Amino acid sequence: MSYVLAIDVGTSFTAAAVARFDHGTSSSPECLPLGIRGTSVPSVLFYPEEGPVLVGEAAERRGLDSPARVVREFKRRMGDAVPISVGTLSLPAEDVFATMARWVADRAEEREGAPPSEIILTHPAAWGSHRTSLLREALAARSLQNVALVTEPEAAALHYASQVRVEEGSTIAVYDLGGGTFDTAVLRKAGNNRFELLGRPEGIENLGGADFDAAVLRYVASNTGGILSSLDTSDPGAR
């Protein structure tokens, strides 16, 4: 039995689903268990001095002792000419993204007993050919070739159309406020299981849940008499 693996690497969390095919019939998509407490996993990686890269909850736990070796919110850096510094490493954001996708593909292969026959990966609609080309190269470097890229608004519209009848020619507006970006797009249903983008999708690349968290923390810091700045951030208890 073959299966298709769909991956959504988000700024804060990563999730995936599989759809199995047997003799021409397909099953309903099923979430792939990735996290310890749920199907999604934090989009966090830990790069140790030696040994394999850790992902998700394991990366967050190790990061408590060595925060300088943790990488998070890398999706916001896609296409940035300045690499991410981790110890002695200089990591392009697309390489970190591809490492996350490779990890998910390995989890799917462990669970299904075979690699997927196809991989579908979502990305922001505002990403142009430069960033998608960098992503494809990084994926290929990790033996993830022929990955189908689908914009996140298209994926959202297809999911919506699987739940509610959408007539051909109808338009759908997608509002996507995530952990690190805010994107909007309008799509028209152009046929069976197909949507086309109308106009140019818009996005704010540095507006999301992470920024709300930072704003709240700044507010607390400015209204507690400077007590936060006096904490020893190398102390696990203080963190």
Side-chain angles (χ1 to χ4, degrees), residues 145-214:
Q145 287 96 356
N146 301 319
V147 176
L149 299 183
V150 176
T151 68
E152 291 164 353
E154 286 179 276
L158 287 167
H159 175 70
Y160 178 75
S162 71
Q163 309 295 316
V164 178
R165 181 176 176 80
V166 178
E167 298 291 343
E168 187 169 347
S170 299
T171 55
I172 292 179
V174 177
Y175 172 107
D176 181 7
L177 179 58
T181 57
F182 170 53
D183 299 298
T184 60
V186 178
L187 305 97
R188 176 191 291 124
K189 187 172 184 183
N192 188 32
N193 294 326
R194 190 167 69 87
F195 282 84
E196 61 181 11
L197 287 166
L198 298 180
R200 185 179 67 184
E202 294 290 344
I204 303 175
E205 295 188 349
N206 292 302
L207 178 65
D211 302 287
F212 301 153
D213 290 345

Side-chain angles (χ1 to χ4, degrees), residues 59-70:
E60 288 188 321
R61 288 195 299 271
R62 284 291 300 276
L64 293 176
D65 296 324
S66 302
R69 307 199 73 86
V70 173

Side-chain angles (χ1 to χ4, degrees), residues 11 18 20 26 30 44 62 66 76 79 102 105 122 126-127 132 143 147 161 175-176 194 225:
T11 303
V18 297
R20 301 178 185 86
S26 62
E30 177 184 319
V44 179
R62 284 291 300 276
S66 302
R76 305 173 84 165
R102 176 74 260 181
T122 60
W127 283 10
T132 55
S143 300
V147 176
Y175 172 107
D176 181 7
R194 190 167 69 87

